[in-house]
Amino acid sequence: MRQPDDIFSQMLPFWEHLTPQEQMALREASVPSTLPKGTITHRADQDCKGILLLLSGQLRAFLLSEEGREVTLYRVREGETCVLSSSCLMDAIVFDVLIEAIEETQVITLPVTALSPLAQQRPEIELFLYKTASERFSDIMWTMQQILFMGMDRRAAIFLWDESAQKGPVLRITHDEMARYIGSAREVVTKVLKYFAQEGIVALRRGTITILDQEKLRRLTGMASVEERTPRP
């Protein structure tokens, strides 16, 4: 099992700039925890927690409309950090999102109470927060581009392609979960997946989507193949 200092030095670029006393303060304040699937770890009406370091599992940041519709903005995976849960440390960021564990997730929380005094003295911490937040906003813009300008079949294909790249061809996911992740209705997702199944792209079982034809799926995403991307001599 990795030691806390190894985790901090790998996941926090500013760690090496801290004094031994500052490192000790963060180390003692850090809180390891396991979030069961479905846990909402951050919401607009709660105090911001701090930076979340993902040791395993996955989180998603999403918006929830008054009608109950969810739009997933981005996901945070193992080895990444979630900083919007510490948005109170960033004066220029006013962005209320919900953050949910979409599978059992192990995290280390660096609480705001420990980070705030350090951030006032260490510009490296503030730079890290804003840089990471800006990268997430890039993900959010990509999500908005898909919702606004792409057809449902292409959005579904991109989602399945990305998921299979991470988890392999057998995806244990329900139509309802997929709809929440791509910001659509379950009925629409079911219709698109049935079309994919008719075309031999996927096989559908209860709670499982199996990718059968990666090439057809790739073409639906609009991405070029390796041969198409390789310039001719």
Side-chain angles (χ1 to χ4, degrees):
M1 183 176 180
R2 289 187 297 170
Q3 296 300 311
D5 278 15
D6 294 334
I7 296 171
F8 296 150
S9 62
Q10 181 179 359
M11 301 181 70
L12 302 173
F14 60 79
W15 182 254
E16 63 183 21
H17 298 285
L18 303 180
T19 66
Q21 293 77 17
E22 291 169 336
Q23 291 180 352
M24 177 65 73
L26 275 188
R27 191 182 301 114
E28 293 180 345
S30 65
V31 181
S33 59
T34 299
L35 307 176
K37 180 179 178 179
T39 300
I40 301 294
T41 185
H42 174 79
R43 59 192 310 147
D45 57 357
Q46 294 176 341
D47 293 335
C48 66
K49 296 180 178 297
I51 297 176
L52 303 179
L53 311 180
L54 267 69
L55 307 184
S56 66
Q58 193 172 168
L59 302 175
R60 73 175 181 119
F62 66 99
L63 296 176
L64 181 65
S65 72
E66 293 182 357
E67 295 78 23
R69 181 183 175 187
E70 298 178 7
V71 176
T72 299
L73 301 174
Y74 62 85
R75 284 182 281 176
V76 187
R77 296 180 169 86
E78 177 180 340
E80 298 180 338
T81 58
C82 181
V83 302
L84 287 190
S85 53
S86 60
S87 56
C88 56
L89 291 175
M90 298 176 280
D91 295 336
I93 303 287
V94 182
F95 202 82
D96 290 331
V97 298
L98 289 85
I99 299 174
E100 176 192 31
I102 58 178
E103 56 189 77
E104 184 175 275
T105 303
Q106 291 185 322
V107 302
I108 293 179
T109 302
L110 299 181
V112 167
T113 52
L115 283 170
S116 182
L118 285 180
Q120 295 175 12
Q121 303 174 25
R122 294 288 182 178
E124 297 91 345
I125 296 179
E126 189 175 44
L127 177 63
F128 166 75
L129 291 172
Y130 280 105
K131 182 176 184 296
T132 307
S134 68
E135 291 170 352
R136 291 304 176 193
F137 284 129
S138 177
D139 295 336
I140 292 171
M141 291 303 296
W142 167 238
T143 298
M144 293 299 103
Q145 180 181 342
Q146 290 187 61
I147 293 174
L148 293 172
F149 303 118
M150 291 184 185
M152 189 60 226
D153 56 344
R154 187 179 177 194
R155 287 166 55 195
I158 290 173
F159 174 82
L160 294 174
W161 180 272
D162 289 343
E163 286 294 288
S164 63
Q166 293 281 334
K167 302 176 181 179
V170 180
L171 306 177
R172 302 191 182 281
I173 186 172
T174 66
H175 296 190
D176 185 62
E177 289 173 328
M178 181 171 167
R180 286 190 283 120
Y181 296 159
I182 65 177
S184 185
R186 180 182 60 80
E187 294 79 6
V188 176
V189 167
T190 297
K191 183 177 180 180
V192 171
L193 289 176
K194 285 182 177 178
Y195 165 71
F196 286 0
Q198 291 170 358
E199 294 296 311
I201 300 170
V202 302
L204 304 177
R205 299 289 185 273
R206 186 175 181 84
T208 303
I209 302 171
T210 303
I211 311 300
L212 300 178
D213 194 323
Q214 289 277 0
E215 179 57 24
K216 282 187 177 179
L217 183 64
R218 180 197 61 76
R219 288 201 295 267
L220 281 173
T221 67
M223 292 186 292
S225 66
V226 173
E227 291 79 8
E228 292 168 337
R229 293 196 303 267
T230 303
R232 295 181 180 180

